[in-house]
Amino acid sequence: GSGKVTATPEQGDVEFLSPVIIGGQTMNMDFDSGSSDLWVFNTQLAAASQAGHTNFDVAKSTTFKMLTGSTFTISYGDGSGAAGNVGTDTVNIGGATVTSQAIELATAVSASFVQDTQSNGLVGLAFSKLNTVKPAQQKTFFDNAKDTLAMPVFTADLRKAAVGAYEFGAIDSTKFNGSLSWAAVNTTSGFWQFSSQKFQVGTGTAMNVAGGQAIADTGTTLMLVNAAVVNAYYSQVTGAVNNQTVGGVTFPCNSQLPDLSVDVGGNYMAVVRGDDINFAPVDQAGTTCFGGVQAIASNLQIYGDIMFKSQFVAFNNGNNSIGMAPHQ
Ligand SMILES: O[C@H]1CN[C@@H](c2nc(-c3ccc(C(F)(F)F)cc3)no2)C1
């Protein structure tokens, strides 16, 4: 079979939320191709942490089973995190169903998760080797579902300030222009990692980038790239400055931003629209804006939602490859 759900952007496209039915309870969750735990807000949490969220209640599920003695502890790139205990239940994502999916029940969550009241947890879609459950590591929803799917793939169709979709088991070719360009994925680190050795600012010349690796990460809001890419890109933007106080590069909100093209697998230059790189104003007057492309110290670049808003992406675990094409 296959399963398709909406991906609805939060204010400012900070994250995209999708409905997941767990033991008959619908939870709006953040699908994250950069991690491998499925965890939920639930009634074990302190009342102050539960406030404003939809909280999974094991007592209301007739299919939930505790995995006695199992725990999880996860932390994310921005320092946020969650921890708790674990059970299994039936998970249905748009019709794609897994009967015994590990459901990680947070007993503690960091403040930024509590404040993000629209999100009721995460669905990790990276490789199961990154799952944090102990003593026995658990599989992701996609890993559990893939043998029953018509194809061992899922796709991300994320749209700027508009409702998009995640689909499991099928590739909807009406959603992208032309055909997908495929790149080999190196699964060693547990991410959807591929070679990305060149970049191009606007119509300029292609330049090499150190390290030349990137991951496709739907759970990261921005595009975090090598400092050389950031410098080359914003050198083309009048008034761009590295603003320590706000923690990254800002520029005048009325800037005409160039596109940024990044190499995917050595045979496709993914064009990220300049307009999408104007992420959000940092001041009340809306005169100074924060860039959607920012620097990361590591050589492993993180292509997050800023890229997904320009590119339809297919994640293929059949032959461990990633496919991209501009949105239709
Ligand atoms: O760890 C890497 C794996 N993918 C990236 C990711 N980051 C988050 C995240 C979501 C929500 C929040 C909060 F609500 F603001 F707390 C924080 C972080 N989800 O995936 C980074």
Side-chain angles (χ1 to χ4, degrees):
S2 71
K4 184 169 186 176
V5 286
T6 51
T8 303
E10 277 196 330
Q11 187 62 30
D13 298 349
V14 168
E15 66 186 22
F16 295 76
L17 298 174
S18 300
V20 178
I21 306 173
I22 305 173
Q25 299 170 48
T26 300
M27 311 284 287
N28 279 331
M29 301 182 71
D30 179 4
F31 287 16
D32 175 21
S33 63
S35 68
S36 306
D37 284 51
L38 190 163
W39 69 265
V40 288
F41 272 79
N42 66 94
T43 52
Q44 290 179 95
L45 279 163
S49 297
Q50 291 188 51
H53 288 269
T54 301
N55 297 286
F56 181 71
D57 183 348
V58 302
K60 289 183 181 152
S61 168
T62 59
T63 42
F64 183 87
K65 293 186 183 64
M66 209 62 203
L67 265 181
T68 312
S70 291
T71 59
F72 81 99
T73 305
I74 192 160
S75 58
Y76 296 100
D78 67 348
S80 63
N85 45 48
V86 187
T88 62
D89 209 338
T90 300
V91 173
N92 174 344
I93 298 182
T97 300
V98 168
T99 50
S100 182
Q101 172 63 42
I103 307 294
E104 300 169 34
L105 304 169
T107 53
V109 291
S110 58
S112 43
F113 277 110
V114 175
Q115 285 144 21
D116 182 12
T117 52
Q118 301 310 304
S119 169
N120 304 308
L122 265 72
V123 177
L125 296 170
F127 293 87
S128 298
K129 66 167 60 171
L130 293 180
N131 178 267
T132 73
V133 175
K134 290 185 171 46
Q137 193 172 53
Q138 299 296 308
K139 287 184 175 183
T140 67
F141 170 82
F142 178 53
D143 232 355
N144 283 323
K146 71 180 183 213
D147 296 345
T148 64
L149 294 173
M151 300 166 67
V153 301
F154 68 92
T155 65
D157 180 11
L158 304 183
R159 304 290 174 135
K160 175 177 190 157
V163 177
Y166 284 103
E167 186 161 17
F168 293 84
I171 296 176
D172 182 349
S173 58
T174 68
K175 299 295 183 191
F176 53 86
N177 271 325
S179 46
L180 293 169
S181 293
W182 293 95
V185 162
N186 176 345
T187 65
T188 308
S189 303
F191 296 117
W192 290 92
Q193 182 175 330
F194 53 90
S195 163
S196 185
Q197 308 207 340
K198 292 197 305 293
F199 69 95
Q200 181 179 327
V201 178
T203 54
T205 52
M207 296 165 67
N208 285 323
V209 56
Q213 293 290 304
I215 68 168
D217 184 354
T218 56
T220 286
T221 307
L222 305 182
M223 223 173 140
L224 307 177
V225 298
N226 192 287
V229 181
V230 167
N231 296 340
Y233 182 80
Y234 291 112
S235 69
Q236 303 305 310
V237 179
T238 308
V241 294
N242 202 338
N243 186 328
Q244 300 301 341
T245 17
V246 297
V249 179
T250 61
F251 42 78
C253 291
N254 59 7
S255 301
Q256 193 62 34
L257 295 173
D259 295 342
L260 172 67
S261 302
V262 292
D263 152 39
V264 177
N267 49 24
Y268 172 64
M269 289 300 278
V271 178
V272 179
R273 282 193 309 265
D275 289 356
D276 290 353
I277 298 172
N278 186 337
F279 177 64
V282 295
D283 63 326
Q284 205 61 14
T287 48
T288 303
C289 279
F290 193 74
V293 171
Q294 296 291 344
I296 189 167
S298 87
N299 267 346
L300 185 56
Q301 303 178 104
I302 301 177
Y303 295 169
D305 299 337
I306 294 290
M307 182 203 67
F308 284 91
K309 289 190 268 189
S310 288
Q311 298 289 318
F312 176 98
V313 180
F315 299 80
N316 185 333
N317 192 208
N319 59 6
N320 287 334
S321 61
I322 195 160
M324 289 195 200
H327 287 295
Q328 177 76 274

